[in-house]
Amino acid sequence: MRTKMMAALAAGVVTLGLAAGLAPSASGAPAPARKAKPYVVTLKTLPAKAQVGQRLALAGQVSGPDSARKPVVIQRRQGAGGWVTAARTRTTRRGTFSVRVPLVTGGTTSFRAVKARSTKRSQGASAVRSLAVYQWLDMVDQPAFAMGMMTVGNDIRMGGRTFPDSLASQFSTAIYMVPSSGLCTAMEASTGFLDRELPNLGTGAKQSLDMQSGPLTGPSQTAEFETGPGPVQRRVVDITGSAIAFLRFSAVAGEDASGPVTAVVGTPRVLCNAAKLPSVPDELQVGARRAFGVS
């Protein structure tokens, strides 16, 4: 009688264990949940360079189930910064997309396209595409090294037009330079005489402007310009790969001048793959002072 009761009790324990799910499954540990595949997103190659003010065309495709007529986010990164939303668009019934994005800041710029996850696929992102974006930078707004007495960043009137962010000096030759640091491809400025001084210039008055580029040390290239009374002249030089962009300017009154003559450079600027030029290196200041005999 005792043996039968123990057997019945043991059988009850086994039954209880099975009811509570304590018994091991026939296949061992539970199988992990299957992770959804990401969307495949492509973004077409971009041009090597563009300029601020242009609208950049971006195009690509999303592949995967439920990819037709779905939203796509275009993200932008400036230099080594973080990703921000630049535009939003939608795919066509074939999964393609296209959008134009305005370029508003100079410097190396990267883009990618992102398709958010769905019930069928996880989020997908395209390969990163980058290009150099060039921007005209006013030289008076950049880190600079100057020698000579001058006013910087003022508006001047020449040829009936206003030239903002200009340089002016009524004294001896003035020098102004910025560290282009290999980031810039062109330097431009306008030369002429102030409208208010035209009646006083005299015969033979002229503006002299040297636009120079080159390494911090060693030979440089200089373009020399002279401008007499008459139309304002726009001067442009190539400074591709140069470490510095350099301006030297002066003015000479005519023999029968009846008033002072101001040396001016109208709106000098540089076209650079940057939104801001780096600080002026010490060797640039030391080299410039040594070259012009300034202690």
Side-chain angles (χ1 to χ4, degrees), residues 18-67:
L18 291 174
L22 299 177
S25 65
S27 59
R34 181 177 297 177
K35 186 177 181 180
K37 292 182 179 180
Y39 281 101
V40 177
V41 185
T42 58
L43 185 62
K44 291 184 179 180
T45 302
L46 302 179
K49 61 182 180 179
Q51 190 168 321
V52 166
Q54 296 178 338
R55 295 179 67 85
L56 180 68
L58 299 167
Q61 185 168 16
V62 178
S63 301
D66 197 28
S67 59

Side-chain angles (χ1 to χ4, degrees), residues 88-109:
R88 299 179 186 273
T89 186
R90 297 184 73 87
T91 59
T92 66
R93 60 185 179 85
R94 295 183 179 180
T96 61
F97 63 88
S98 62
V99 66
R100 287 184 175 272
V101 179
L103 299 174
V104 297
T105 303
T108 300
T109 306

Side-chain angles (χ1 to χ4, degrees), residues 209-212 221-225 237:
L209 172 65
D210 295 348
M211 302 174 74
Q212 187 177 105
Q221 297 184 357
T222 302
E224 300 178 353
F225 303 100
V237 295

Side-chain angles (χ1 to χ4, degrees), residues 55-286:
R55 295 179 67 85
L56 180 68
L58 299 167
Q61 185 168 16
V62 178
S63 301
D66 197 28
S67 59
R69 306 189 190 282
K70 297 299 179 182
V72 175
V73 176
I74 304 298
Q75 295 181 331
R76 174 175 53 210
R77 181 175 66 193
Q78 299 292 151
W83 290 102
V84 298
T85 298
R88 299 179 186 273
T89 186
R90 297 184 73 87
T91 59
T92 66
R93 60 185 179 85
R94 295 183 179 180
T96 61
F97 63 88
S98 62
V99 66
R100 287 184 175 272
V101 179
L103 299 174
V104 297
T105 303
T108 300
T109 306
S110 302
F111 291 92
R112 70 180 181 184
V114 178
K115 170 63 178 72
R117 66 182 180 87
S118 70
T119 56
K120 298 181 179 180
R121 288 290 176 98
S122 61
Q123 176 177 290
S126 71
V128 176
R129 304 294 189 186
S130 301
L131 77 164
V133 179
Y134 284 81
Q135 179 176 357
W136 282 108
L137 303 175
D138 290 324
M139 293 176 68
V140 301
D141 294 332
Q142 303 306 307
F145 178 70
M147 290 190 296
M149 298 181 65
M150 72 186 85
T151 58
V152 176
N154 51 302
D155 294 347
I156 62 173
R157 291 281 296 177
M158 298 189 298
R161 295 170 50 202
T162 299
F163 293 81
D165 300 315
S166 298
L167 304 172
S169 175
Q170 287 189 340
F171 301 91
S172 58
T173 299
I175 294 170
Y176 194 87
M177 62 184 79
V178 299
S180 48
S181 304
L183 298 170
C184 309
T185 58
M187 173 171 52
E188 72 168 28
S190 296
T191 60
F193 288 90
L194 297 179
D195 287 350
R196 68 172 186 268
E197 294 181 356
L198 290 176
N200 309 323
L201 296 180
T203 304
K206 66 179 180 180
Q207 295 271 354
S208 297
L209 172 65
D210 295 348
M211 302 174 74
Q212 187 177 105
S213 62
L216 293 180
T217 58
S220 59
Q221 297 184 357
T222 302
E224 300 178 353
F225 303 100
E226 289 189 352
T227 305
V232 175
Q233 301 294 319
R234 178 174 174 266
R235 312 296 190 180
V236 183
V237 295
D238 185 345
I239 60 170
T240 301
S242 295
I244 60 171
F246 173 103
L247 298 170
R248 175 167 48 194
F249 60 104
S250 61
V252 176
E255 294 181 0
D256 51 347
S258 58
V261 176
T262 304
V264 292
V265 181
T267 316
R269 58 182 190 166
V270 283
L271 182 63
C272 307
N273 177 26
K276 184 78 173 180
L277 293 179
S279 59
V280 180
D282 292 339
E283 56 265 39
L284 173 58
Q285 300 186 44
V286 172

